[in-house]
Amino acid sequence: MPWCESCDRFYNPKQLAPDGTCMTCGRFIADPDDDEETPGKAPWHFWILVVALVAYLGWRLVQVVIWAVTGDWPG
Ligand SMILES: [Zn+2]
């Protein structure tokens, strides 16, 4: 539970500004990363999935190009 020394009270993490500062006095109280994952911010495993998908689709594209040029399906 974040504690603001300036306001002398506890705050719910949702009552704080997005950067973890006090809405009342502006003092930095809590690391916003301690809170649950911020909506709209993709987790790291999502980007691994994206990279894998792009790599896979890129390889399929290379296969199609090789097939179109040589008539041989690689792999
Ligand atoms: Zn405060």
Side-chain angles (χ1 to χ4, degrees):
M1 186 74 82
W3 165 260
C4 180
E5 287 178 48
S6 302
C7 303
D8 204 32
R9 59 167 290 187
F10 286 109
Y11 283 101
N12 186 297
K14 289 178 172 48
Q15 291 176 278
L16 301 177
D19 60 354
T21 55
C22 177
M23 296 269 228
T24 309
C25 66
R27 182 192 180 91
F28 178 79
I29 305 174
D31 189 343
D33 288 341
D34 287 348
D35 200 1
E36 63 209 72
E37 239 154 41
T38 315
K41 186 181 157 195
W44 62 270
H45 45 264
F46 170 79
W47 293 111
I48 289 183
L49 205 70
V50 169
V51 168
L53 190 70
V54 168
Y56 173 76
L57 290 177
W59 168 238
R60 299 302 288 190
L61 189 70
V62 167
Q63 280 186 318
V64 168
V65 169
I66 292 174
W67 170 73
V69 171
T70 67
D72 288 327
W73 188 254

